[in-house]
Every structure is written in structure tokens, then in C-alpha cells.
Amino acid sequence: MLYQTKNPHGGDIYETPVKLDFSANTNPLGTPQGVVDAVHSSLADLHRYPDPYCRSLVAAISEFEEVPPQYILCGNGAADLIYAYAAALKPKKAVETAPTFSEYALGLSQWGCQVEPFLLHASRDFSIDETFLEFIGAEEPDVVFLCNPNNPTGRTVRYDLLERIIELCKQKNIFLFLDECFLDLTEGGVSAKGLLGTNPQLLILKAFTKSYGMAGIRLGYCLCADADLLGRMSSAVQPWNVSSLAQAAGVAALKEQAFLEKTRALVCQERQWMTQKLQNFGFWVCPSQTNFLLFRGTPGLHEALKEQGIVIRNCDNYRGLGSGWYRTAVRQHKENVQLMDAISQIAEREKPWQKIL
């Protein structure tokens, strides 16, 4: 992200004072203490180059994900691997859902790739159905990008449908990029990693950013049985692209499974509470299965909240959405109460919508 380029994402809290950030979907419990301690301990080795092969981190990921080490490639955050993937494939045509994470299309655009959107609809809760299979068959792309759960909708793909998508891509020699970065914070989330061995066209993206509250460290990894593809991706990234601090943090994070379980329980409870509150304001809320909510409110809500030092994600730059669409992270209850109180005050003052109590 260069300084002359507009930032299309949440989490930019540096221009104006921010008291509460709901625009970035990171772990509401923050960063595990074990990760902080690991980073602190690794400071003594700052004078050394990091391991260019991420040996300890790859071994830890291999044990955690139960996949062979040769299936793993680490990167400087998930975005690093998205761009490396696009550079390795240089596809002519891609398919993605809309709305979805913008970096897929941005990474592909650097190689002149034509991106065809499969439009998701609020009337169907932004869910993917069997017509996506027909769309892929009709478009015949080089690669399909699929986010599960999808950002910003929070919707997962039914596993039986996901299996059919993977099988279709295999039959038609289409690469499939499956983003599972939010899956560890998702209620009932099921990974497709068990299908990697028989589907070399499948690549799964994971990141420490959201699950372990490590956005500032920049650490992600991908899983794929196609050694040639991983080799080409590796050639597309800079040497030493994963810092020694990030590697140490990643190894420590994978030991924090109790932390993840606690987070999932919190997210499930708070997501239900926030959904009800937002609906009480008369907003339409997309049924989410993860740690954020997409809702439709009144245009200008994000600006009114910003005046109070609270930021939510304005989603008007997502393809398929527009003015009045927002995404909010699920935070801890005290913070969530503050957000809802702020919305209530705006409603009372400006009366832009009918509040239902």
C-alpha cells in the first residue's frame, strides 16, 4: 500500500483520533500474552537476518494444520501471498463473488486479468448457491477466488457445495484460491485442507492477523499440494519476507488454542446481541457466522460515528454494495455497548431512521 494510493480497507486509525475501532475484524481479545512474550524474547536477535525458509514456523504450521511441510509457504501477511499468487499464475480471466475482499481483484489487475463477478444478493442473505457452479462453467476462468467465510458478508459456503466447486475446478483444470483467513473465528467453520492432497489445483490462504490479533506483525501462510505453484510464488516475493519477530510470534500463536476457543464463544454471544440491537434500529443485518456483521443503515452513519471517535467500515466501495452499507467488527461487550449507545444518540439527535425499542 503506497502513500499515493487510497486505502480501501478498515483499520486506518492514524489520521484522526479514534477511541473505538470497529472497522478492523481482529480478535476482540487482542493479542495472546504468549505471542507478546515471544516477540519480546526475539528482540535480542534483531541484528540477525531472519530464517529465509521459516523452518521453525513451517514445522509448527505443519503440525497444527496436519499437512506436510512441503505444502506450506509463509508470507508477509495474507496480502503478500495474494499478490504472489497472481504473479505466479498471471491468469487471463478470473471469477470472484461480489461483494468480497478487494485485494483479489487488485492483485490480479497488475497482470491485466479480467475479473468476472458473481453477484450475491441481500434477498438470499448473500449466500452462494448451485448457480455459482453454472457461472464457473459458463465463464471458464483460469482461476476462481472464493472467501470462506466471505468478507464482508460473514457467510460460509455449505461444505457439500464447496466440495462440488473444488471438484468442478479439478475437472476443468481451473485453479481455486480459497481464503480461510476468518475460519478459525467462525462458528462451525470447516476447512477444506483435507482435500489438498487430491486437489493440487486448490490453494488455501490462512493468516494470523485476525485470529490472534497480529495485524501489526504481518504474517500469513498458504497450503497447497502443487509444489511448482508454490515455487513460482516463492520466486515472486522478496527474500526474507517474513521477519524474525513474525516467525517467533507465529510459532507462539499456534500454541494458543484455548485462546481461540474463548474467542469463538465470546464472538458467538456478542454477535447475537449486536445483531438484535442493530435490527432494533430498523437496520437489515446479514446473518453472520464469524466475527463481523454486514448491515444496511442510513447513509452518513459512519461519518456521524467518526465525530464521536468511533469508526466502522463504510462498505460503499465494495462491488455489489453502495451507500448505507456498513461492516462492524464484533468486539468485547463493553465496547459493543458503547457503539450501540452512540448509534442510539445519533438516532435521537438526527432521527434519520425509525428506532424500534
Side-chain angles (χ1 to χ4, degrees):
M1 185 60 60
L2 299 178
Y3 301 144
Q4 302 305 316
T5 304
K6 185 177 180 180
N7 175 27
H9 305 294
D12 186 356
I13 59 171
Y14 303 99
E15 183 177 8
T16 57
V18 172
K19 295 187 298 183
L20 293 172
D21 181 17
F22 286 85
S23 69
N25 306 319
T26 55
N27 194 308
L29 297 178
T31 310
Q33 188 59 46
V35 173
V36 175
D37 293 342
V39 171
H40 187 268
S41 297
S42 67
L43 292 176
D45 291 324
L46 285 183
H47 64 291
R48 304 181 188 278
Y49 280 100
D51 178 357
Y53 302 107
C54 302
R55 293 173 178 90
S56 296
L57 178 57
V58 166
I61 294 171
S62 175
E63 180 179 359
F64 176 76
E65 298 286 7
E66 299 180 324
V67 301
Q70 61 267 26
Y71 282 20
I72 300 166
L73 178 65
C74 299
N76 186 244
D80 184 34
L81 295 166
I82 293 170
Y83 280 73
Y85 184 80
L89 289 185
K90 298 181 178 63
K92 299 298 183 184
K93 187 177 184 180
V95 159
E96 67 175 13
T97 60
T100 197
F101 187 49
S102 62
E103 289 300 329
Y104 309 144
L106 290 172
L108 291 165
S109 68
Q110 295 192 351
W111 303 98
C113 181
Q114 175 186 347
V115 180
E116 295 294 338
F118 176 79
L119 292 177
L120 304 173
H121 300 282
S123 60
R124 301 175 185 171
D125 292 337
F126 292 104
S127 295
I128 294 175
D129 58 21
E130 282 73 11
T131 58
F132 188 54
L133 294 167
E134 300 171 9
F135 186 79
I136 294 171
E139 292 293 338
E140 297 184 343
D142 302 306
V143 60
V144 172
F145 279 75
L146 192 58
C147 191
N148 187 39
N150 190 29
N151 177 12
T153 66
R155 304 292 291 165
T156 59
V157 184
R158 293 193 337 259
Y159 193 74
D160 65 299
L161 178 56
L162 180 58
E163 288 181 308
R164 292 171 64 188
I165 294 170
I166 293 171
E167 180 60 29
L168 177 63
C169 289
K170 183 178 182 178
Q171 292 175 2
K172 292 185 172 291
N173 295 314
I174 298 171
F175 288 94
L176 176 58
F177 185 100
L178 182 62
D179 185 341
E180 294 186 352
C181 284
F182 286 101
L183 200 65
D184 288 338
L185 297 180
T186 299
E187 185 177 4
V190 180
S191 175
K193 63 185 178 182
L195 304 176
L196 287 167
T198 55
N199 293 276
Q201 84 288 353
L202 171 65
L203 180 141
I204 296 176
L205 180 70
K206 298 289 292 286
F208 292 83
T209 305
K210 313 298 195 278
S211 301
Y212 302 99
M214 290 167 48
I217 284 285
R218 310 308 306 138
L219 181 61
Y221 61 94
C222 61
L223 310 174
C224 184
D226 187 340
D228 178 67
L229 174 58
L230 291 182
R232 284 183 283 153
M233 289 178 63
S234 183
S235 298
V237 299
Q238 300 178 47
W240 307 292
N241 64 322
V242 181
S243 72
S244 55
L245 300 181
Q247 292 184 42
V251 171
L254 293 174
K255 301 174 184 177
E256 297 285 349
Q257 295 317 295
F259 178 83
L260 279 188
E261 291 176 10
K262 182 179 180 180
T263 303
R264 281 191 291 267
L266 170 68
V267 165
C268 181
Q269 178 176 323
E270 290 300 309
R271 184 180 63 239
Q272 294 174 11
W273 184 86
M274 293 179 72
T275 297
Q276 186 61 60
K277 289 292 184 180
L278 290 169
Q279 290 174 337
N280 287 347
F281 289 116
F283 299 157
W284 183 86
V285 184
C286 185
S288 174
Q289 294 157 280
T290 192
N291 64 318
F292 53 86
L293 291 166
L294 175 71
F295 68 95
R296 188 169 193 178
T298 297
L301 174 63
H302 64 294
E303 294 291 351
L305 286 171
K306 194 173 183 179
E307 292 176 1
Q308 299 188 39
I310 300 173
V311 289
I312 58 176
R313 176 68 159 88
N314 176 24
C315 292
D316 64 2
N317 67 332
Y318 276 95
R319 190 184 310 203
L321 299 180
S323 180
W325 284 98
Y326 305 102
R327 188 195 67 200
T328 176
V330 176
R331 308 297 305 169
Q332 295 190 52
H333 186 68
K334 181 179 179 180
E335 297 169 296
N336 298 334
V337 168
Q338 289 177 273
L339 173 63
M340 298 306 157
D341 285 348
I343 294 175
S344 179
Q345 291 171 18
I346 295 167
E348 290 291 343
R349 183 179 72 243
E350 301 182 10
K351 301 187 184 302
W353 57 80
Q354 176 65 40
K355 188 173 70 170
I356 304 172
L357 295 176

